[in-house]
Amino acid sequence: MKDLVKAIRLGMDMNQEQLALAMGVSPVTVSRWENGKAAPSLMAQKQLYELCQSNSLDLADHIVSGNESKAEDTILYHASRKGIVGTIKPISRSRCDFGQGFYMGTEAIQPLTLVCNEDKPKFYQVQLNLNGLKVLNVDINLDWAMLIAYFRGYMEGEEGSALYEKYAHMADGYDVIVGYIANDRMYQVLTDFFEGRITDAALIASLSALKLGKQYVAVTQKACDQITILNEKTLSKLKLMILRDKSTVRRNEGIALARQMVLEHRRDGRFFDEIMRGVEV
């Protein structure tokens, strides 16, 4: 919090006395916020957020950079609505991208924006030890889209078909699935694909353009037992408000870029029902 308060002040090109005057507090109070001896009240956090808005300050990257570590490839990020209690388990909702599991991302911004509308979410930096684990890597291709289609229930009614069986069993025997993220920026374009409004070529082009990063999903207890929590943080109201704005901006930017990709590739590839029927281009 102390670094964020200072970043807001510097972003407005103010000294501590000027920020104190703008907020109706004493310079000593601002100084205590910035040296970590005190934290802004909820009312003060709302004032700071409003100053960010009125001065068009985007400090989400500052929040993220304060949480990211590039020391090792297996340093990952997870956010929870209520926090992790007890042993880590593969118990997410079943209809997530790659089924039920414990989800972690390669970029901090992704899980942060997923929980920004919650009251008291927790943010975690974790390390996954892949030794002895069987890992399924899913690239940006049709398999990625169809595997998500299976896990999200879009193949219901096709049980017994060769295509259904392929994706129903693709992850069998694996402890970890690694694939690209299908977040809120991809939700509409994925829905459009599954409901037959765009082709697989448009979908994959959109994903490639968005560069969403990867998610690691521990789908077995064995994999969950090899996850170590390195850091746990409670997100302040101020950070959550800033992240909500960032989430909206990211979603709108993503939708616009995806629409552009759809227009460029609208005559390429196959529709979902054609793929399910085995229609060739």
Side-chain angles (χ1 to χ4, degrees):
M1 175 65 78
K2 63 179 183 179
D3 293 334
L4 183 55
V5 173
K6 185 175 182 179
I8 292 171
R9 176 174 63 78
L10 294 177
M12 295 187 297
D13 195 25
M14 288 183 175
N15 58 35
Q16 291 183 346
E17 289 76 11
Q18 290 169 324
L19 178 60
L21 181 62
M23 296 188 64
V25 298
S26 71
V28 172
T29 297
V30 173
S31 176
R32 286 173 59 81
W33 291 344
E34 292 191 10
N35 63 29
K37 292 182 178 179
S41 65
L42 291 180
M43 182 178 294
Q45 289 183 50
K46 185 176 180 181
Q47 284 181 281
L48 287 165
Y49 169 70
E50 290 170 350
L51 287 172
C52 287
Q53 283 193 311
S54 61
N55 288 272
S56 300
L57 297 181
D58 179 1
L59 292 175
D61 289 340
H62 175 84
I63 295 172
V64 171
S65 64
N67 287 292
E68 283 189 322
S69 170
K70 299 299 182 183
E72 299 181 45
D73 291 340
T74 52
I75 299 294
L76 302 167
Y77 306 95
H78 173 84
S80 171
R81 291 176 174 84
K82 302 297 182 182
I84 297 172
V85 179
T87 304
I88 293 174
K89 297 179 181 179
I91 55 173
S92 70
R93 291 179 294 106
S94 60
R95 289 197 174 180
C96 295
D97 291 347
F98 298 121
Q100 201 166 38
F102 183 83
Y103 281 72
M104 302 159 282
T106 56
E107 299 179 20
I109 188 66
Q110 170 63 15
L112 282 170
T113 53
L114 280 177
V115 297
C116 61
N117 289 311
E118 302 298 325
D119 290 332
K120 296 179 180 180
K122 301 281 189 178
F123 176 73
Y124 297 89
Q125 184 183 76
V126 302
Q127 184 163 26
L128 172 62
N129 179 1
L130 293 172
N131 289 336
L133 300 180
K134 191 173 181 182
V135 180
L136 173 63
N137 285 285
V138 186
D139 205 350
I140 302 178
N141 54 27
L142 183 59
D143 280 341
W144 173 87
M146 296 304 286
L147 193 58
I148 290 176
Y150 166 74
F151 280 120
R152 289 193 177 183
Y154 285 96
M155 289 190 183
E156 289 181 354
E158 301 294 334
E159 292 86 345
S161 69
L163 205 59
Y164 179 94
E165 293 303 317
K166 173 183 177 180
Y167 293 105
H169 298 291
M170 178 176 282
D172 287 357
Y174 287 95
D175 300 297
V176 178
I177 302 174
V178 181
Y180 286 82
I181 292 166
N183 70 353
D184 55 354
R185 290 187 287 172
M186 280 295 294
Y187 179 79
Q188 187 58 55
V189 73
L190 270 168
T191 301
D192 287 344
F193 170 65
F194 295 141
E195 296 183 356
R197 290 187 287 271
I198 67 171
T199 66
D200 58 337
L203 172 68
I204 293 166
S206 298
L207 176 67
S208 300
L210 286 171
K211 299 177 181 178
L212 297 176
K214 291 184 177 181
Q215 55 190 345
Y216 283 62
V217 188
V219 296
T220 65
Q221 189 59 52
K222 178 182 178 181
C224 288
D225 290 341
Q226 294 185 200
I227 298 169
T228 302
I229 296 175
L230 303 178
N231 198 354
E232 176 187 279
K233 292 185 178 179
T234 300
L235 299 172
S236 68
K237 292 293 184 183
L238 175 58
K239 290 182 178 180
L240 290 172
M241 287 187 285
I242 291 172
L243 288 167
R244 284 185 200 119
D245 287 346
K246 187 66 171 182
S247 179
T248 300
V249 170
R250 279 163 55 89
R251 182 169 58 252
N252 291 339
E253 289 175 348
I255 289 171
L257 182 56
R259 285 175 178 166
Q260 178 185 334
M261 293 297 103
V262 167
L263 289 174
E264 292 179 6
H265 295 272
R266 60 185 173 182
R267 293 182 177 86
D268 303 331
R270 294 179 293 170
F271 291 98
F272 183 61
D273 66 317
E274 294 176 329
I275 295 169
M276 294 302 298
R277 298 198 315 267
V279 175
E280 297 295 333
V281 176

